[in-house]
């Protein structure tokens, strides 16, 4: 599995010493770092204000002082003597204690930091001028969405600079895309936007179906989930494209944003559904410990103890260390991936021990190691699920959905004429092309299956509709 949230496997899957792809010089890298500030909030969003003389003096003084050493060393490594980049990496425009931008500790790519960088009460994505507090509208009810004084020609409450009914009016599937965007916005205050990549109807349908049908119970009970406000389409997570590609998606918890990457937007529809289930599953996990009363603290958070999530997973053998060992928070910068989290244990063993165990089986039996009796007995659906509690739960949620849809498809329509093993071979065969180390049928022997049927119940109608759309249409016609 190659989809990440900003803790756990993210730190492992995108190791900080990974070489840059396509970079040939510091000059080229610094130019790419600047370019990463384009389209940061939405397609065409403006670049941040240029460095002032005062900021230049401050940045120069900081770099000469060398204190705090760890953070200045990071700044020097990533940005060298480019003081404008140092300024962007340490700037807090509205003085609220949340830095404007986070950046990747390996290559210096910038990401959204403060979700309201100019402090005018309007989230950056909804703000047509995110660096100007005098433009972008007024928020009356405190939800970060403008209620008046913003450009909205068609009066649908979506600012025109991100409104697909305007931007995609003459595009293929433009009407359907705009309808999906509008429904998610009006029903759940989730906005779907293009940034450096472009959504297609298959991708947006996968997000829509995940919210409306897979997690119907959650989104019906809690109409607006504080941990999911933006879903974006982006090229890739690094300055230059990964080779090989490692990252399908990223849930940026501090900004309550799910970023889907270009290559995953071209994946098979069933894979895209699974990816949405996995990533939106992360948003539900974070919601268990999200402090609604202090969203600003959540916005600048760099470590996650998540006691409520750990407590919920105790019946399945999960535990977490009571403290984050060897963790040092940052004073001047907000890295994107250096996040603190507890050590996790499954049935008394560390995740490293479990990973070694399954890799030993892989070495012993070969490519079908996930079908080995020992792995099935433990109900392990893939290597990725063993990295931490977050990935274990999200991977099992994918497996649960696939298992239930496969079972439903075998009872209806053209798939009913296939033997169960033949249908499973078709479905798994397609999924394994994208995720070779994932085997969803193993959830059948896992205790988590009964739990997920209770907490993530899919109605019979939703199961039938999803089975028809994602299984029958792709494997049985």
């Amino acid at each position: 599995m190659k989809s990440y949230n900003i803790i756990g496997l993210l730190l492992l899957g995108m190791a900080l010493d990974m070489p840059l792809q396509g970079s040939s010089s510091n000059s080229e890298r610094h130019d790419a770092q600047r370019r990463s500030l384009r389209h940061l909030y939405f397609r065409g969003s403006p670049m941040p204000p240029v460095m002032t003389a005062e900021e230049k003096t401050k940045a120069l003084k900081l770099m000469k002082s060398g204190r705090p050493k760890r953070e200045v060393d990071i700044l020097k490594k990533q940005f060298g003597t480019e003081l404008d980049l140092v300024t962007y990496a340490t700037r807090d425009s509205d003085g609220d204690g949340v830095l404007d931008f986070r950046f990747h500790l390996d290559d210096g790519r910038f990401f959204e930091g403060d979700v309201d960088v100019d402090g005018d009460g309007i989230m950056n994505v909804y703000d047509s001028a995110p660096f100007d507090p005098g433009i972008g509208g007024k928020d009356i009810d405190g939800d970060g969405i403008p209620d008046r004084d913003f450009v909205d020609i068609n009066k649908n409450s979506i600012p025109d600079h991100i409104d697909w009914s305007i931007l995609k009016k003459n595009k293929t599937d433009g009407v359907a895309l705009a309808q999906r965007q509008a429904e998610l916005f009006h029903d759940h205050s989730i906005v779907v936007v293009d940034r450096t990549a472009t959504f297609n109807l298959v991708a947006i349908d996968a997000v829509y179906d995940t919210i409306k049908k897979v997690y119907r119970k959650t989104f019906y009970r809690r109409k607006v989930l504080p941990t999911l406000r933006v879903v974006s389409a982006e090229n890739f997570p690094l300055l230059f494209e990964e080779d090989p590609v490692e990252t399908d998606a990223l849930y940026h918890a501090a900004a309550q944003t799910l970023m889907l990457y270009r290559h995953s937007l071209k994946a098979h529809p069933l894979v895209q559904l699974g990816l949405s289930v996995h990533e939106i599953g992360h948003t539900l996990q974070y919601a268990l410990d999200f402090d609604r009363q202090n969203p600003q603290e959540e916005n600048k958070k760099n470590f996650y103890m998540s006691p409520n999530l750990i407590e919920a997973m105790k019946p399945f053998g999960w535990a977490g260390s009571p403290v984050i060992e060897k963790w040092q928070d940052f004073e001047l910068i907000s890295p994107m991936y250096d996040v603190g989290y507890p050590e996790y244990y499954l049935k008394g063993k560390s995740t490293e021990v479990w990973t070694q165990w399954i890799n030993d089986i892989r070495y012993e039996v070969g490519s079908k190691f996930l079908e080995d009796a020992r792995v099935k007995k433990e109900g392990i659906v893939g290597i990725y699920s063993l990295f931490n509690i977050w990935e274990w739960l999200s991977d099992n949620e994918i497996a649960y959905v696939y298992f239930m849809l496969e079972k439903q498809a075998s009872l209806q329509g053209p798939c009913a004429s296939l033997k169960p093993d033949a249908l499973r071979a078709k479905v798994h065969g397609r999924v394994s092309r994208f995720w070779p180390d994932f085997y969803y049928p193993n959830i059948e022997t896992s205790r988590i299956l009964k739990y997920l049927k209770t907490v993530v119940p899919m109605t019979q109608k939703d199961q039938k509709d999803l089975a028809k759309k994602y299984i029958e249409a792709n494997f049985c016609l």
Side-chain angles (χ1 to χ4, degrees):
M1 194 64 56
K2 302 176 294 181
S3 52
Y4 305 114
N5 60 49
I6 63 169
I7 70 171
L9 181 61
L10 187 64
L11 301 175
L12 301 172
M14 301 180 65
L16 296 182
D17 60 353
M18 183 168 59
L20 294 174
Q21 301 297 329
S23 179
S24 59
S25 68
N26 284 336
S27 176
E28 181 183 359
R29 183 160 65 98
H30 295 324
D31 286 343
Q33 288 164 344
R34 292 183 182 93
R35 288 195 301 272
S36 71
L37 290 162
R38 298 175 183 169
H39 316 297
L40 196 61
Y41 311 126
F42 50 85
R43 179 77 58 81
S45 60
M47 290 286 285
V50 298
M51 175 178 59
T52 64
E54 182 181 356
E55 286 178 321
K56 181 177 181 180
T57 300
K58 181 180 177 181
L60 185 60
K61 183 178 180 180
L62 170 66
M63 299 302 277
K64 284 185 175 180
S65 74
R67 293 288 183 274
K69 185 179 187 305
R70 178 174 66 125
E71 295 178 58
V72 171
D73 285 349
I74 291 171
L75 290 169
K76 288 179 178 179
K77 176 184 176 183
Q78 297 308 327
F79 309 120
T81 59
E82 305 296 310
L83 296 182
D84 63 324
L85 295 173
V86 173
T87 293
Y88 294 140
T90 56
R91 178 186 275 172
D92 177 8
S93 293
D94 57 2
D96 64 354
V98 185
L99 296 185
D100 292 3
F101 310 110
R102 291 175 179 259
F103 67 90
H104 193 305
L105 282 185
D106 181 54
D107 68 359
R109 183 207 154 164
F110 287 101
F111 293 81
E112 184 173 23
D114 192 338
V115 296
D116 175 19
V117 74
D118 60 6
D120 63 358
I122 305 299
M123 291 175 61
N124 300 322
V125 68
Y126 293 108
D127 196 333
S128 59
F131 301 104
D132 186 342
I135 303 175
K138 301 295 182 184
D139 176 23
I140 305 302
D141 55 8
D143 62 359
I145 302 171
D147 297 299
R148 61 180 177 85
D149 301 340
F150 67 101
V151 181
D152 183 18
I153 293 175
N154 59 10
K155 307 299 181 186
N156 69 350
S157 299
I158 302 176
D160 287 358
H161 67 277
I162 54 172
D163 186 353
W164 284 356
S165 69
I166 294 173
L167 300 177
K168 296 182 182 289
K169 184 176 181 180
N170 299 315
K171 303 291 185 181
T172 302
D173 295 324
V175 173
L177 286 163
Q179 182 179 350
R180 287 288 190 250
Q181 184 198 47
E183 286 187 65
L184 291 173
F185 172 75
H186 289 295
D187 292 350
H188 306 292
S189 296
I190 296 169
V191 66
V192 185
V193 294
D194 295 332
R195 287 180 176 169
T196 50
T198 303
F199 270 103
N200 55 56
L201 189 56
V202 173
I204 194 63
D205 266 0
V207 172
Y208 180 90
D209 289 338
T210 297
I211 291 170
K212 291 291 191 178
K213 297 182 179 181
V214 175
Y215 294 120
R216 177 190 292 275
K217 178 180 178 181
T218 296
F219 283 92
Y220 178 81
R221 185 177 69 249
R222 299 174 67 177
K223 188 175 182 181
V224 177
L225 194 69
T227 50
L228 183 58
R229 303 300 304 278
V230 183
V231 182
S232 67
E234 311 202 11
N235 275 340
F236 28 82
L238 300 172
L239 290 178
F240 305 97
E241 190 165 9
E242 297 170 305
D243 183 18
V245 172
E246 292 289 342
T247 315
D248 302 327
L250 166 66
Y251 173 55
H252 182 1
Q256 298 93 53
T257 298
L258 168 56
M259 295 178 280
L260 299 174
Y261 292 114
R262 184 180 62 193
H263 79 280
S264 66
L265 300 175
K266 302 174 183 178
H268 187 275
L270 185 62
V271 170
Q272 294 202 47
L273 177 67
L275 185 60
S276 291
V277 168
H278 181 106
E279 294 300 329
I280 294 174
H282 284 320
T283 73
L284 305 184
Q285 295 157 18
Y286 278 87
L288 292 174
D289 293 278
F290 188 88
D291 187 352
R292 287 173 174 262
Q293 304 304 314
N294 295 289
Q296 189 169 292
E297 289 302 310
E298 294 291 336
N299 192 192
K300 67 180 181 181
K301 184 178 285 187
N302 285 322
F303 57 90
Y304 297 85
M305 291 302 296
S306 307
N308 293 329
L309 173 63
I310 293 173
E311 183 66 27
M313 293 297 102
K314 271 187 178 180
F316 308 102
W318 281 100
S321 58
V323 296
I324 300 176
E325 297 180 2
K326 300 179 181 179
W327 168 251
Q328 288 181 281
D329 209 350
F330 295 87
E331 299 175 41
L332 300 177
I333 61 176
S334 290
M336 183 65 181
Y337 298 126
D338 199 353
V339 177
Y341 60 99
E343 292 292 330
Y344 295 111
Y345 300 90
L346 177 60
K347 300 179 182 179
K349 300 176 184 177
S350 71
T351 55
E352 290 81 4
V353 170
W354 278 103
T355 301
Q356 184 61 54
W357 172 79
I358 200 167
N359 276 323
D360 288 344
I361 295 176
R362 182 180 199 168
Y363 180 78
E364 176 188 336
V365 305
S367 61
K368 293 192 174 183
F369 68 101
L370 291 171
E371 299 177 51
D372 184 87
R374 291 164 290 181
V375 179
K376 285 187 174 184
K377 182 180 178 181
E378 296 291 347
I380 295 169
V381 297
I383 288 181
Y384 190 74
S385 69
L386 293 174
F387 276 100
N388 57 54
I389 193 171
W390 310 80
E391 311 308 342
W392 180 84
L393 182 52
S394 280
D395 266 13
N396 273 289
E397 285 169 332
I398 302 177
Y400 158 68
V401 171
Y402 285 178
F403 177 77
M404 296 301 288
L405 297 192
E406 176 209 291
K407 185 176 180 181
Q408 183 63 48
S410 70
L411 302 174
Q412 66 185 47
C415 291
S417 63
L418 292 175
K419 292 183 178 180
D421 287 349
L423 178 58
R424 175 164 294 180
K426 283 189 173 188
V427 174
H428 171 64
R430 170 56 71 172
V431 171
S432 65
R433 295 182 194 178
F434 204 81
W435 295 318
D437 295 334
F438 178 67
Y439 189 65
Y440 73 88
N442 282 355
I443 196 170
E444 191 170 10
T445 59
S446 174
R447 292 175 55 214
I448 193 70
L449 178 59
K450 183 178 179 180
Y451 171 84
L452 291 175
K453 286 181 177 180
T454 301
V455 299
V456 191
M458 291 184 283
T459 67
Q460 191 68 25
K461 182 180 185 305
D462 287 342
Q463 288 185 54
K464 288 181 177 180
D465 290 346
L466 292 172
K468 183 176 182 179
K469 183 173 182 177
Y470 291 96
I471 304 292
E472 289 181 27
N474 292 291
F475 302 102
C476 302
L477 294 180

